[in-house]
Amino acid sequence: MLIENAVNAAGAPAELLLRGGRIAAVGTSLAGLLTPGEEVLDARGRTVLPAFVDLHCHWRTPGFEYKEDLETGSRAAAAGGYTFVNLMPNTRPVISSAEAALAVMQQAEAI
């Protein structure tokens, strides 16, 4: 997919070529890299920005999922443009070991 007619954070023209769910190229005049049948998205009037990182999230898995869980937190983060979050250990039990963190990460991957 080619996203064309966008601007970057500095207001300069920007295009993004996506392949396999990843950014393959960023620049201008990328249409020549398209293969037949690839989708082109006109982003006129829109700005492309790098993804955001939130280093201080209070999701509550395990123990307090009624406040926020991995799925609702992940959906909210993605909707806001975040691709990485760092969860704080305000859980029950507290996530205070590599093994506990890995268990939560595996649970998140299953969503």
Side-chain angles (χ1 to χ4, degrees), residues 39-59:
E39 184 178 358
V40 176
L41 177 69
D42 185 357
R44 189 173 314 279
R46 293 181 172 84
T47 303
V48 292
L49 299 168
F52 298 113
V53 173
D54 189 340
L55 296 177
H56 191 110
C57 288
H58 288 277
W59 301 357

Side-chain angles (χ1 to χ4, degrees), residues 18-105:
L18 309 176
R19 295 266 166 78
R22 298 184 183 271
I23 298 173
V26 177
T28 57
S29 304
L30 299 179
L33 300 176
L34 286 173
T35 59
E38 274 192 275
E39 184 178 358
V40 176
L41 177 69
D42 185 357
R44 189 173 314 279
R46 293 181 172 84
T47 303
V48 292
L49 299 168
F52 298 113
V53 173
D54 189 340
L55 296 177
H56 191 110
C57 288
H58 288 277
W59 301 357
R60 309 301 187 168
T61 301
F64 299 107
E65 288 86 355
Y66 66 93
K67 294 181 179 183
E68 177 103 84
D69 64 21
L70 295 172
E71 183 174 0
T72 59
S74 296
R75 289 182 183 277
Y82 289 84
T83 59
F84 181 88
V85 295
N86 185 54
L87 306 182
M88 304 310 294
N90 52 349
T91 57
R92 186 178 298 149
V94 171
I95 305 298
S96 60
S97 70
E99 294 80 18
L102 180 60
V104 172
M105 288 171 51

Side-chain angles (χ1 to χ4, degrees), residues 2-29:
L2 176 65
I3 301 173
E4 64 180 7
N5 299 318
V7 296
N8 63 22
E15 295 180 351
L16 286 91
L17 181 65
L18 309 176
R19 295 266 166 78
R22 298 184 183 271
I23 298 173
V26 177
T28 57
S29 304

